[in-house]
Amino acid sequence: MKVNINGETKTVLAVWYEDNKVKLIDQRKIPDEISIIELKNSNDVYNAIRDMAVRGAPAIGVTAAYGLAMAKKNNEDMEKAVELIRSSRPTAYDLFKAIDYMKKNNFSESAARRYALEITERSKKIGEYGNELIKNGDRILTHCNAGALAVVDWGTAIAPMRIAKDSGKNIFVYVDETRPRLQGARLTAWELAQEGIDHSIIADNAAGYFMKKKDVNLVIVGADRIAANGDFANKIGTYEKAVLAKVNNIPFYVAAPGSTFDFNIKSGDEIPIEERDENEVLSINGKNIGPSQSHARNPAFDVTPNEYVTAFITEYGIFKPNELEKLRSLISKDLFMR
């Protein structure tokens, strides 16, 4: 992804492996600063994922893959390392997909590098397919962050926008702020600014206003886990955007690689939903925004039923919810996904 550092535009990755360390951009610090964290053992990897220094389902998977390769080189107890990293966050399926992939490949460094490369290349394909849905002049709504930071490079939901911009299309993006951690306002807006894509940050509860005004042509979001029937989990607030899009006859697309599809579960009812610390809701930048005696609920994700999804944008092509058996067949023949 493009990053402007001290007036110079550079191309960087969100996560990489170097000198037997996992290195990543600390997403908690953006947009204020670009800070690089070095992870030296499986406990560091657990904390980085759990505390959201790295986030986004594909990026979490890549971090886990590199982390397990590092743990093996460090002669850690691999059974303990696997269980520790597996327990870091419950919802994103890529985490478990990456762990299974590394176990099958003896936790080798070459396997981890291949996993990261595959995810990145597949994200670009998602962008190429998604670009076909974007017309010149389109105004797009997105929720949370499904850009390069969430993947390693290119992104999922943001990838079609990047390729549309590079192909000369004039597009505009509405960026939901995405409370409580503001991943849209902090991360997605930052990425779009780096790429020179015209955009505006909007409050989460403003999306319906712009949809009703016919000021949104399509919605593209990412996903953390997709069930066999097309129900999917994504950042809290996605479900209401999907309902609003349906009511206002606006296409609603989900961009995700094959590694995010969990065909072992039948529906979204089986997706575990992480509930995080209430203080993420009760405070902003360390300042309490509610009465001291108040408590909060803080589900990190919600589940959107398949009936609200127009189609899934994947590296294999674009599939409607009723076409997921075809997608499942393609994934089953993909050696990387086995």
Side-chain angles (χ1 to χ4, degrees), residues 34 63 185 278 283 310:
I34 299 171
T63 302
E278 67 174 7
S283 64
T310 303

Side-chain angles (χ1 to χ4, degrees), residues 67-73 75-83 107:
L68 289 171
M70 176 179 63
K72 183 182 180 184
K73 279 197 167 187
N75 295 315
E76 291 188 39
D77 182 320
M78 292 309 296
E79 184 174 341
K80 290 183 179 178
V82 165
E83 290 311 308
F107 306 109

Side-chain angles (χ1 to χ4, degrees), residues 34-313:
I34 299 171
S35 176
I36 307 302
I37 296 178
E38 294 186 352
L39 313 180
K40 300 177 181 179
N41 52 53
S42 58
N43 193 62
D44 287 350
V45 173
Y46 168 84
N47 288 325
I49 296 173
R50 182 63 193 167
D51 296 340
M52 297 181 71
V54 60
R55 44 140 303 282
I60 287 172
V62 170
T63 302
Y66 282 147
L68 289 171
M70 176 179 63
K72 183 182 180 184
K73 279 197 167 187
N74 290 342
N75 295 315
E76 291 188 39
D77 182 320
M78 292 309 296
E79 184 174 341
K80 290 183 179 178
V82 165
E83 290 311 308
L84 179 64
I85 294 173
R86 185 187 293 275
S87 69
S88 56
R89 296 194 71 187
T91 302
Y93 187 58
D94 293 64
L95 171 64
F96 309 104
K97 188 76 174 179
I99 290 172
D100 289 344
Y101 177 84
M102 291 301 293
K103 288 175 70 174
K104 290 175 184 176
N105 288 277
N106 199 30
F107 306 109
S108 72
E109 179 182 337
S110 61
R113 291 190 183 281
R114 184 189 172 208
Y115 186 88
L117 182 61
E118 285 278 357
I119 291 299
T120 301
E121 290 180 345
R122 288 161 188 262
S123 295
K124 186 178 181 183
K125 290 295 295 183
I126 289 171
E128 292 168 350
Y129 281 118
N131 179 41
E132 298 173 6
L133 301 169
I134 299 174
K135 301 181 181 66
N136 187 47
D138 270 352
R139 301 172 79 82
I140 306 164
L141 175 78
T142 192
H143 186 73
C144 196
N145 173 259
L149 289 169
V151 176
V152 173
D153 198 3
W154 289 102
T156 53
I158 302 300
M161 304 173 202
R162 288 178 61 178
I163 292 178
K165 170 70 164 49
D166 291 345
S167 67
K169 294 177 183 176
N170 179 29
I171 63 170
F172 180 88
V173 184
Y174 283 113
V175 182
D176 285 343
E177 60 181 343
T178 321
R179 280 276 290 145
R181 294 186 66 94
L182 301 171
Q183 293 104 321
R186 293 190 304 105
L187 307 179
T188 298
W190 179 80
E191 287 197 43
L192 294 175
Q194 301 298 312
E195 296 289 336
I197 297 174
D198 198 12
H199 64 280
S200 286
I201 299 168
I202 61 173
D204 288 338
N205 51 10
Y209 171 80
F210 291 105
M211 288 187 190
K212 190 171 185 295
K213 285 184 62 180
K214 308 299 181 185
D215 209 22
V216 175
N217 301 104
L218 68 162
V219 181
I220 309 179
V221 300
D224 286 84
R225 187 181 299 213
I226 304 168
N229 71 339
D231 295 350
F232 76 99
N234 194 48
K235 186 56 57 182
I236 191 73
T238 301
Y239 169 53
E240 62 190 46
K241 303 304 183 299
V243 173
L244 284 166
K246 184 86 168 181
V247 169
N248 287 280
N249 297 310
I250 297 169
F252 184 94
Y253 297 105
V254 180
S259 55
T260 304
F261 286 82
D262 184 358
F263 289 105
N264 296 312
I265 59 174
K266 294 180 180 179
S267 74
D269 292 338
E270 299 176 61
I271 299 177
I273 298 299
E274 174 187 7
E275 183 149 356
R276 296 183 61 82
D277 193 315
E278 67 174 7
N279 287 319
E280 292 182 349
V281 174
L282 294 173
S283 64
I284 298 179
N285 293 329
K287 179 177 174 56
N288 198 334
I289 61 172
S292 59
Q293 64 267 37
S294 293
H295 291 281
R297 295 293 303 275
N298 186 20
F301 306 92
D302 56 26
V303 174
T304 299
N306 59 28
E307 65 195 86
Y308 296 103
V309 179
T310 303
F312 295 92
I313 309 169

